[in-house]
Amino acid sequence: MSETVQPTESGAPVVVLVHGAFADASGFTGVIRELTAAGHRVVAAPNPLRGLAGDAAVVRAVAGDIHGPVLLVGHSYGGAVITQASAGLDNVAGLVYLAAFGLDESESCADLIAPFPPSMLAETIRPTSYEAHGAAGGPDLYIDADGFHESVCADLPAELALAMSLAQRPIAAAAFAEQATGAGWKSIPSWYQIARHDNALSPQAQRFMAERMGASTEEVDGSHVAFIAQPRRTADLIKAALSKL
């Protein structure tokens, strides 16, 4: 960010959106449109996708630089990032998880999903033959274009799914294995949107995480990127969270 984000005149929290793996912040376009039209201040934070500690440090710096309360919103792996970034950060007033990882301390994304049936995504991820630049070690991960639509975004048009698959940003494999060192949801109010037809992150795992964190929970008939297919529904959840802070 080039300058400190000032609080809104009403003192309402600033919404900070954090994207997940294989993506960038452009997926939040519809949600941003809905929130800004309603007068909410929004920041789409960068997520380097290089490793949990480093990614969380980036988001923590963005959120900590905002004068006033912040509502952190994370999708998928972005949930793991906001979980760690928010721990001990005084101005984070709430957390919203969109089909996202809500890790506990000393738990990795890989640890969390291990007890649940493998998702379709697990069959479509491919490692690179080279080391992930800027990561602790190991390869980058991509999703095969042929399996991208069904495993990630089955409720989006095929042409959009193709564009997303070709524009995907890789995540370092090490990020999935890195354990969290903090869990902000233990002291911060949380909301969780479960995607019932998620082929990337098991809905059973999502329900487990939402229940464990005591989150205010809703379920939506949608894929892993239900927030793209149904931006108004997701924006309404974020607005509901803002109204409680």
Side-chain angles (χ1 to χ4, degrees), residues 108-194:
S108 70
C109 294
D111 293 334
L112 193 146
I113 62 175
F116 299 96
S119 69
M120 186 181 298
L121 183 65
E123 302 173 3
T124 62
I125 287 180
R126 299 290 180 266
T128 59
S129 60
Y130 50 84
E131 296 281 296
H133 182 72
D140 266 326
L141 301 177
Y142 283 91
I143 303 173
D144 275 347
D146 289 345
F148 192 97
H149 191 189
E150 188 174 1
S151 61
V152 176
C153 53
D155 50 359
L156 296 181
E159 61 271 20
L160 177 55
L162 175 61
M164 290 168 61
S165 72
L166 296 175
Q168 65 179 288
R169 289 182 55 218
I171 184 169
F176 282 123
E178 189 173 346
Q179 294 180 335
T181 58
W185 54 261
K186 290 187 173 182
S187 59
I188 301 170
S190 301
W191 287 258
Y192 202 112
Q193 185 180 77
I194 295 167

